[in-house]
Structures are given as structure tokens and as C-alpha cells.
Amino acid sequence: MAVEGEALTASGYIKHHLQNLTFGLHPENGWSIAHGPEEAREMGFWALHLDTIFWSVGLGVLFLWWFHKVGKQASAGVPGAAQNFAEWIIDFINDNVRGSFSGKNDMIAPLAFTLFIWILLQNLMDLVPVDLIPYLATAIGIPYMKVVPTTDPNATFGMALGVFGLVLFYSIKMKGAKGFAAELTLHPFESKNPIVKLLFIPINLLLEGVNLIAKPVSHSLRLFGNLYAGEMIFILIAIMYSGGFFLATFGVALQWAWAVFHILIVLLQAFIFMTLTIVYLDMAHHVPDDH
Amino acid sequence: MNINLTLIVQLISFALFVWFCMKFIWPPIIGALDARKKQIADGLAAAERGKHEQELAEKRAKELLAETKEQAAELIAQAQKRASEIVEESKGEARAEGQRLLEAARAEIDQEVNRAKEQLRAQVVALAVSGAGKVLAREIDAKAHADLLDDLVANL
């Protein structure tokens, strides 16, 4: 389970499981794969988590390929099983978008769809036994392998920042730079008196600014935190397997129970991420009529 | 747990995925869904129209049937009337014909009777003359008594 050279202790096992396969510019070794958390940290910003990218891009390509295949053969006639399934998902997303998004934008539904399916698939990797893929990877010489991309904050921040960029873009596009600035500075404290109004601007900017910045942070950390904690519990349960017959048996039962419960979290977090995206973008499209 | 270049790669792949989905996945499937929705709506509308048309046709058929029945009844009544008329006419004609035949027969009978009377009279005259002739053969000259005899014949 653990790589040679690393003590097979509980903390070593956990640390090993939480380490990404990092490729980057090391100050001493140059462009290389990090051999441990320290080297990875020394690489700083210029490093790639190869496992995160591999699994997330792989899963993304997989689901896009499948839906593209179905879409190409889609007809208005009696749908086959695959088309039925794809239509069921797309109808579900469409209903959600229509329920939460009041504006008119053809990008929102595909965006929500991509986010939901992509995050769901990435989350579902959590249900693969924690040791299986890392073990296989070690067998072919890859020292670290973290298979759930959404337990890497880079992945969740990447998506949340993408959504945040769209929120900023549509806020300015729909309300104008002036309207957007007004939204940030003239709320929540208002006054008819121009001087008091001027005094309120920095306070409002602080409050609204925090509010605005909190969106992508909470958006990504919610997903990351839930999945990271779920993964952590799987790892902790897996440690029980080496703790004798009774603990191992108990561990099997716990693993099963946690996996069942985790299905809920996996689905729920993907759904929440999608819903929040729709809501944020709806707010960005919403032009207040009292200003 | 380091934030690094992975974030940028994720951001780019996310953008690419959304773009691909928007471009190549969403339109055909949504198009198919919309087309099917339209087909179903059209089908339902057509069914509704068909039902309506059927109702109309049924109504029309009922009307037609009633009309036909009425016409038939009228025709039957006319025919009956005509038949009774014809019967009446024939009866009249037959009666007239019978009368005519009867009269002709009667006239013939009268003629026959007259002829028989004529013959009988002639024979009686001849008989009487011959009888009287036999009786009076010696005293009466046939030529001298011709007026007498003619007068007798006329009175018979």
C-alpha cells in the first residue's frame, strides 16, 4: 500500500494517500516528479497535479464523448435506452435551470449540465475502494495517486473561479460597469443625503466586496471540504483493516455503511454546486429596477 | 493541498468542456426533445380534430337518416294514394265497360227478338194465307184480295 522508504504507519499511510502526484519545477531537481510532500511544497506555484488533471480531464472527456455520441444519433422518434437516459438528465438540468434562472441565456443550461455531470463523476471516484487505484499505480511505478479530483482544492477552485469570472462578466454586461459599481457601493446602507451617501460608500464596498469574494471561496470550499472529509473517513476506515480480525470485520461494515451514505453526499454536492452556479448567475443577470 | 498551476489547467479544461457541451451536445439533444414535443402536440391536436370531425360526421349522418326516413314515408304515402286512385279508376272503367257490354248485349238481344218476330210474322202470314187459301181457294181470287191480305199482314 505504501511506497517503499515510507514507514507503514497510520500517519504515513494517510499522508501518502493525501499526496498528489506533483510534477513541477523543483529548485534543485529541475522539472521533475516530486518525491514527497516536502519536494512538492518546494515547487511552489509552478507545479501540476498530474493525477488530478488526468482523472478530471479523463472523466470530462468520457462523459462529453458519451453525450456527444448520443446527441449525434438523437432523433425525435422513439428514443433508445441511451438517448432516454441522456434526455432524462438533460430534462432534469433544464427544469432546474428554468426554476432558478429567470433571465434569458443559452449558456446557463449547458454550463449547469457540464458542472453537474463532471463533478458527479469526479465525486463518484470516491466510491472506488481507496487503495485499489493507488495500489495498481504503485505496481506500475507511479509513487502517488489521488483519484478523486474534487478532493484537490485546485480542481474545485478552478471551477469556482470559472463561474466567478462568468458572474463578473455578466454583472458588468447586464448592469454596465456603473450599475455593477453602484450595486457594490450603494448597498446595504442608503441615504438621500449626498454627503452621508459618500460616507457610506467605503462601508458598503467593504460589506459587498466581502460578500462577492466569499462566493467563489465558499462555492469551491464547500465541495472540496465535503469530498475531502469523505475521502479522509474512507482512509481512516481502511486503516482498521490492519488492526486484527475484529477491527477489520467492523471496518468492512463501516466502509459499506459510509459508502452508502457517501452516495448521498456525492450527488448532493454536485447538485449544490450546480444550483449555486445557477443562482449566482441569475443574480448577475438580475438588474435591480429601483436604481 | 498546494494551490498551483493545476488550478489554471482545471480552469481551462472547465472552459473547454463547457464550450464543447454548448456547441456539440446541447443543441442536438434539445433539438430532438423539442421536435418530439412538437410531434406529440401535433398528434394530440390531430386526434382532437379527428374526434371533432367524427362528431360532426355522426351528427350529419343522423340528420341524413332522419331526412331519408321522412322522404321514404312520404313516398310510401304517395304510392298508397296513387294505388288507391288507380284502383278507383279501374273500378270506374270496369263498371263503364260492363255497362257498355250489357247494353250491347241487350241491343243484340232486341235485334234478335225483332228478327225472330219478323220471321215468325212472315211465317204466320204465309201459314194464314196458305190456310185461308186452302179454305177459300175456290171463292177468292188471290189477285183480287191482295189489298185485304196486305192489310192483314200489316196488322199482325
Side-chain angles (χ1 to χ4, degrees), chain A residues 34-245:
Chain A
H35 297 285
E38 284 76 27
E39 278 190 27
R41 205 168 300 127
E42 281 159 13
M43 285 173 180
F45 184 76
W46 298 105
L48 291 171
H49 289 164
L50 295 181
D51 45 3
T52 300
I53 293 170
F54 173 77
W55 289 107
S56 64
V57 172
L59 290 169
V61 168
L62 184 74
F63 96 81
L64 286 175
W65 167 78
W66 189 80
F67 275 95
H68 182 53
K69 198 181 78 154
V70 172
K72 264 196 301 196
Q73 297 158 352
S75 71
V78 178
Q83 197 188 336
N84 221 344
F85 183 65
E87 283 177 3
W88 171 59
I89 293 175
I90 282 179
D91 243 5
F92 167 72
I93 306 282
N94 241 348
D95 281 350
N96 270 294
V97 171
R98 231 174 282 142
S100 315
F101 188 78
S102 52
K104 173 121 187 60
N105 190 335
D106 286 342
M107 204 199 73
I108 305 300
L111 172 72
F113 167 78
T114 309
L115 277 173
F116 180 66
I117 303 294
W118 195 26
I119 293 173
L120 182 63
L121 287 176
Q122 295 180 65
N123 289 353
L124 276 174
M125 293 305 290
D126 220 356
L127 296 179
V128 176
V130 275
D131 278 327
L132 182 64
I133 294 174
Y135 179 75
L136 293 175
T138 310
I140 58 168
I142 299 169
Y144 298 100
M145 182 56 72
K146 222 172 136 191
V147 294
V148 190
T150 40
T151 57
D152 183 347
N154 286 302
T156 61
F157 264 111
M159 289 181 287
L161 282 179
V163 173
F164 187 60
L166 286 172
V167 167
L168 291 181
F169 173 74
Y170 282 112
S171 287
I172 293 170
K173 190 184 167 198
M174 302 306 285
K175 301 162 188 171
K178 231 174 163 183
F180 187 44
E183 200 180 65
L184 289 178
T185 51
L186 303 179
H187 275 285
F189 298 112
E190 301 174 35
S191 172
K192 293 268 182 264
N193 188 329
I195 297 166
V196 182
K197 205 173 178 179
L198 213 64
L199 278 174
F200 276 151
I201 283 180
I203 305 170
N204 284 333
L205 186 62
L206 185 70
L207 286 171
E208 286 291 318
V210 167
N211 195 3
L212 187 72
I213 300 300
K215 274 180 195 170
V217 174
S218 69
H219 202 187
S220 59
L221 285 184
R222 181 179 298 109
L223 177 62
F224 163 71
N226 273 282
L227 271 291
Y228 189 79
E231 175 83 340
M232 196 70 192
I233 288 171
F234 274 125
I235 295 169
L236 290 176
I237 291 170
I239 290 174
M240 293 170 79
Y241 293 152
S242 53
F245 176 73

Side-chain angles (χ1 to χ4, degrees), chain A residues 45 49 56 76 87 154 158, chain B residues 2 4-6 10-11 22 36:
Chain A
F45 184 76
H49 289 164
S56 64
E87 283 177 3
N154 286 302
Chain B
N2 315 326
N4 56 28
L5 207 56
T6 315
Q10 287 286 323
L11 188 57
M22 230 178 110
R36 181 161 336 115

Side-chain angles (χ1 to χ4, degrees), chain B:
Chain B
M1 282 193 48
N2 315 326
I3 293 292
N4 56 28
L5 207 56
T6 315
L7 191 149
I8 309 294
V9 175
Q10 287 286 323
L11 188 57
I12 293 167
S13 43
F14 170 54
L16 283 176
F17 287 163
V18 171
W19 171 81
F20 183 85
C21 177
M22 230 178 110
K23 208 84 188 160
F24 298 109
I25 294 177
W26 211 250
I29 295 184
I30 285 291
L33 280 175
D34 284 350
R36 181 161 336 115
K37 213 180 275 171
K38 199 175 166 301
Q39 270 183 9
I40 290 172
D42 288 353
L44 284 177
E48 192 62 37
R49 216 163 37 239
K51 215 169 133 194
H52 186 66
E53 265 165 24
Q54 195 203 351
E55 268 169 22
L56 278 182
E58 259 171 27
K59 209 173 138 201
R60 210 161 43 231
K62 230 178 243 173
E63 279 172 8
L64 220 63
L65 204 67
E67 208 175 293
T68 316
K69 262 186 192 160
E70 213 172 276
Q71 278 180 353
E74 206 175 298
L75 274 178
I76 290 171
Q78 271 182 1
Q80 273 173 353
K81 202 172 140 208
R82 182 90 190 98
S84 60
E85 268 174 19
I86 288 171
V87 168
E88 283 308 313
E89 250 171 53
S90 322
K91 268 185 192 163
E93 267 172 30
R95 213 173 279 134
E97 178 71 9
Q99 200 65 39
R100 197 179 57 76
L101 282 176
L102 201 63
E103 271 163 21
R106 261 191 206 136
E108 210 170 312
I109 289 169
D110 282 351
Q111 254 177 357
E112 286 295 322
V113 168
N114 284 341
R115 200 177 298 135
K117 270 185 189 164
E118 232 30 73
Q119 275 178 0
L120 210 55
R121 206 179 281 145
Q123 279 175 5
V124 169
V125 168
L127 220 66
V129 168
S130 74
K134 272 174 190 165
V135 173
L136 304 171
R138 291 138 244 184
E139 350 173 347
I140 297 167
D141 183 9
K143 273 181 193 162
H145 293 98
D147 317 344
L148 194 73
L149 287 170
D150 281 345
D151 193 38
L152 196 71
V153 170
N155 282 334
L156 273 172

